[in-house]
Amino acid sequence: MEEHRHGSHTVFAIHIHVVWITKYRHKVLRGVVAERVRDVVREECRRQRVDILQGHLSADHVHVMLSIPPQVTISRLVQQLKGKSSYILLREFSEIRKRYWGRHVWARGYFCRSSGQVTDEVIKAYIANQCHDHDATFSIEGEASPNGESPST
């Protein structure tokens, strides 16, 4: 059974896969630089109550599988991860400062995909089976169907 997380008024399992790359795909994430990026990502995720389910640092990109709480927005999280790690790398490593003199370690943008054991088709079928209205995209329980008939109960 899938592990669900709990908030004060929520139960959730929101898993996402996020990837971002170094600017110009320079292979700078090696040795102590890679370890420092890993530490910063772990610290920032812990600060925002984001669980790292799996992670991998390649020489020119970062992959992480995360479990995020509902109040965390993905764009803000990635902004924090990239911004904080870029700031620290530029501050602590002179070779990074020389390579990225424009103060940007990471390329613009990122890849993100939600993950789960339930497919979109299963969710659509579940929602469609809640009521037998004729509006297939967004029905309202108890609402009369477009042909004037009352919904079956």
Side-chain angles (χ1 to χ4, degrees):
M1 182 170 154
E2 185 177 333
E3 179 86 19
H4 289 87
R5 295 175 61 190
H6 298 270
S8 59
H9 301 284
T10 57
V11 177
F12 58 92
I14 305 170
H15 297 170
I16 59 169
H17 174 209
V18 182
V19 181
W20 66 93
I21 63 172
T22 59
K23 194 164 186 179
Y24 311 119
R25 295 295 292 239
H26 288 310
K27 299 184 183 316
V28 297
L29 304 177
R30 295 191 170 119
V32 294
V33 173
E35 289 175 12
R36 190 65 174 123
V37 170
R38 182 182 61 193
D39 293 343
V40 171
V41 169
R42 282 179 174 165
E43 179 182 326
E44 192 59 31
C45 285
R46 186 174 22 256
R47 190 178 73 72
Q48 295 197 37
R49 295 186 180 157
V50 171
D51 290 345
I52 300 173
L53 304 175
Q54 187 76 38
H56 180 76
L57 275 153
S58 291
D60 62 353
H61 63 279
V62 178
H63 281 272
V64 285
M65 177 86 166
L66 305 171
S67 173
I68 64 171
Q71 69 272 16
V72 171
T73 59
I74 298 167
S75 59
R76 181 62 56 112
L77 174 64
V78 175
Q79 178 185 25
Q80 298 279 336
L81 293 172
K82 289 172 66 177
K84 178 80 89 158
S85 60
S86 181
Y87 174 78
I88 289 173
L89 291 178
L90 290 168
R91 187 183 68 199
E92 295 180 4
F93 299 100
S94 60
E95 66 272 15
I96 301 291
R97 262 195 316 275
K98 288 176 188 170
R99 168 131 357 228
Y100 296 110
W101 51 270
R103 296 185 23 207
H104 298 283
V105 173
W106 306 110
R108 286 179 144 187
Y110 58 94
F111 168 82
C112 179
R113 174 145 181 131
S114 61
S115 165
Q117 297 175 342
V118 179
T119 64
D120 291 346
E121 289 75 27
V122 171
I123 294 170
K124 287 178 185 176
Y126 174 79
I127 293 171
N129 288 330
Q130 295 302 303
C131 188
H132 300 289
D133 283 345
H134 295 293
D135 185 353
T137 58
F138 205 123
S139 61
I140 300 172
E141 188 171 351
E143 181 181 60
S145 62
N147 61 7
E149 298 173 3
S150 63
S152 59
T153 55

